[in-house]
Amino acid sequence: MPHSWRQTLTAVYLSLPLRGARATPSNIFCSEQYLKVSIPPFLFEAVLYAPIDDTNSTAKIGNGNILFTLYKKEPAMWDSLTLANTDKEKLQYLRENAVLKAQEKAKEETEARKITKQEHKKYALEATMKLEEAERKRIEDLKEKERQKVVKELELWKNQQKDGDKYKSIQKTGELYQEKEPLKERKNEKMNKTRIPNEGTSKTRLKSTKGSCSIFSQNLKEEQLPAPRAAATIKVSFTPRVFPTALRESRVAEEEEWLHKQAEARRIINSDLSELEDLKEEEKNPDWLKDKGNKMFAMGDYLGAVNAYNLAVRLNNSLPLLYLNRAACHLKLRNLHKAIEDSSKALELLTPPVRDNEKARVKAHVRRGTAFCQLELYTEGLQDYEAALKIDPRNKNIEKDAEKIRHLIQGTMQSS
């Protein structure tokens, strides 16, 4: 490739024209003393006159050129851009050496980035752990403060209760003493009327009376305390329900219908069917039998598929897909009347006609129409194909088959 270059004491400026080619950084390789630009069909290789700082050197792509800014390792003026008298062997050696150094450098950079990433990850983890520890300590301190606050409030409440109890006991004792004192006075008056009292004995009796009054009041207080409560277990019973939702949130009519269907299905499964005696519990599921029949149909075992569908129908006769799939098996086995019967039953169950069952209704009409045509009942078959077209008017395959049936009907009418 043609090129132009100029230099200073510290740098070399090299310009390569692209000539309409598109270059990307992946087309450029540069090492200390080897430079290569590969843009097929153009190739530029140069063994530089002296080593350069390949880390800080740059290459700018734009305006149809690649402009290299190569910084010299040692300031000096070069006699030429490349080494003179470079033979093929030396060029090959420099090329291989440059590639090896580039690989080693890339490996070192990858390892350095990996180590830096691990250090950043470790630092982030440590910072996160410190934050979590600080948050945990803050929460524990708050809990401890709340606990101490509650303990103080509880102690205060207990002291208030004790003071209240003491006040009540003192008040009751005073009331009892006041009630007892008039009785004693009246009794002493009666005794004074009958005999002369002795001062010593009266004083002693008064003292003993006071003592007996306090004992009596203490005994009375103990007798007035209520007995401790007896431990007991309260049994709570709930209304049994099959559904986990609360009764106020449930739809009773739908739940009752579902339970009725489940009971009917269990009754059928538990009935005396010889086919179910050797089956496992999961094999008594109509959906499982339908999947088994689908796999047999895909493998070409149409008779086995029919048997699986038959048993599934006996377990649940309200699934239209069972009849629809069994009709496909009957078509393969040339049981055309049975195919018509199963397709009709599927259409009967696919009511009301809604968007969700459009594909199933199209299949039912097509399979019944195919069976009619194979029985040479082309008029009935055409009616089914036209019904399928009304449901899916964009289906080109059904439209082609309907057109073929019309031609067959016309040919039959002409021959007759």
Side-chain angles (χ1 to χ4, degrees), residues 365-366 369-370 373 381-389 398 401-402 405:
H365 280 298
V366 169
T370 303
C373 291
L382 182 59
Q383 291 176 357
D384 273 314
Y385 273 91
E386 288 177 347
L389 273 175
I398 298 176
D401 292 339
I405 296 170

Side-chain angles (χ1 to χ4, degrees), residues 70 87 135 146 179 233 270-271 273 324-325 329 338 352 358 365:
L70 309 175
D87 55 3
E135 183 66 16
E146 289 295 326
E179 291 176 357
T233 303
N270 294 328
S271 62
L273 293 177
L324 192 60
N325 294 353
C329 295
K338 291 184 178 180
E358 281 182 354
H365 280 298

Side-chain angles (χ1 to χ4, degrees), residues 171-239:
Q171 188 177 7
K172 288 182 180 179
T173 305
E175 291 175 355
L176 290 172
Y177 180 77
Q178 289 175 1
E179 291 176 357
K180 194 72 178 178
E181 201 56 42
L183 295 174
K184 290 291 182 182
E185 289 177 357
R186 286 195 294 270
K187 186 176 180 181
N188 290 332
E189 288 177 358
K190 290 179 180 179
M191 291 175 67
N192 290 330
K193 289 179 182 179
T194 55
R195 61 188 180 90
I196 299 170
N198 189 359
E199 291 182 0
T201 56
S202 62
K203 289 181 182 179
T204 306
R205 285 176 183 174
L206 286 173
K207 289 181 181 179
S208 63
T209 304
K210 290 180 181 180
S212 61
C213 179
S214 62
I215 294 171
F216 174 77
S217 63
Q218 186 68 24
N219 295 335
L220 183 61
K221 182 180 178 182
E222 291 178 357
E223 290 176 358
Q224 288 177 350
L225 291 175
R229 295 180 181 178
T233 303
I234 300 174
K235 294 183 179 180
V236 180
S237 60
F238 298 95
T239 304

Side-chain angles (χ1 to χ4, degrees), residues 239-252 255:
T239 304
R241 279 183 49 75
V242 177
F243 297 91
T245 57
L247 185 60
R248 63 180 178 275
E249 299 174 2
S250 63
R251 293 176 286 186
V252 178
E255 292 178 0

Side-chain angles (χ1 to χ4, degrees), residues 22-135:
R22 294 187 61 184
T24 61
S26 61
N27 301 123
I28 301 170
F29 178 78
C30 182
S31 65
E32 286 187 355
Q33 206 169 353
Y34 177 71
L35 178 64
K36 177 182 177 182
V37 179
S38 176
I39 310 173
F42 305 109
L43 176 66
F44 175 79
E45 271 188 317
V47 178
L48 301 176
Y49 184 82
I52 62 170
D53 185 2
D54 58 330
T55 303
N56 296 322
S57 299
T58 61
K60 184 178 181 181
I61 302 171
N63 298 326
N65 289 323
I66 304 177
L67 180 61
F68 290 94
T69 304
L70 309 175
Y71 295 101
K72 300 175 182 178
K73 280 198 170 182
E74 296 180 359
M77 299 299 291
W78 292 359
D79 296 337
S80 62
L81 179 65
T82 60
L83 283 176
N85 301 324
T86 305
D87 55 3
K88 291 184 178 179
E89 293 181 358
K90 187 173 182 180
L91 181 63
Q92 182 68 21
Y93 170 75
L94 289 172
R95 185 188 297 119
E96 292 176 356
N97 191 28
V99 171
L100 288 175
K101 286 184 178 179
Q103 290 177 351
E104 290 177 358
K105 185 177 179 181
K107 186 176 180 181
E108 290 174 358
E109 291 177 353
T110 303
E111 291 293 331
R113 284 195 298 270
K114 186 177 179 182
I115 292 171
T116 304
K117 185 177 180 181
Q118 290 178 351
E119 289 178 353
H120 288 170
K121 190 175 180 181
K122 183 179 179 181
Y123 174 77
L125 181 61
E126 290 177 353
T128 305
M129 291 176 66
K130 287 180 180 179
L131 289 174
E132 290 179 353
E133 184 64 27
E135 183 66 16

